[in-house]
Amino acid sequence: MVPLSELDSFNATLKNMGIENMIALRQVQYNRYKKNLTID
C-alpha cells in the first residue's frame, strides 16, 4: 500500500512504465470482446 503523500510519485512511476499504453491496449481488447458478444 502506498501512502497518499507518495501518490504523485507512484503515478509518475506508472506513467514511466507505460501504463497509458497498457490501458489503451486493454481497452481495444475489451471493445473487441464486447463487439463479439453482440448478435446481429
Side-chain angles (χ1 to χ4, degrees):
M1 188 184 291
V2 178
L4 287 178
S5 61
E6 297 180 23
L7 189 57
D8 290 336
S9 174
F10 179 73
N11 286 336
T13 299
L14 288 176
K15 279 188 173 188
N16 289 336
M17 292 174 70
I19 192 69
E20 292 172 336
N21 291 333
M22 181 57 74
I23 291 170
L25 175 64
R26 292 293 184 178
Q27 186 65 53
V28 168
Q29 291 172 334
Y30 174 73
N31 291 345
R32 188 179 305 138
Y33 167 77
K34 190 174 167 185
K35 179 182 176 185
N36 288 326
L37 285 180
T38 57
I39 300 172
D40 293 331

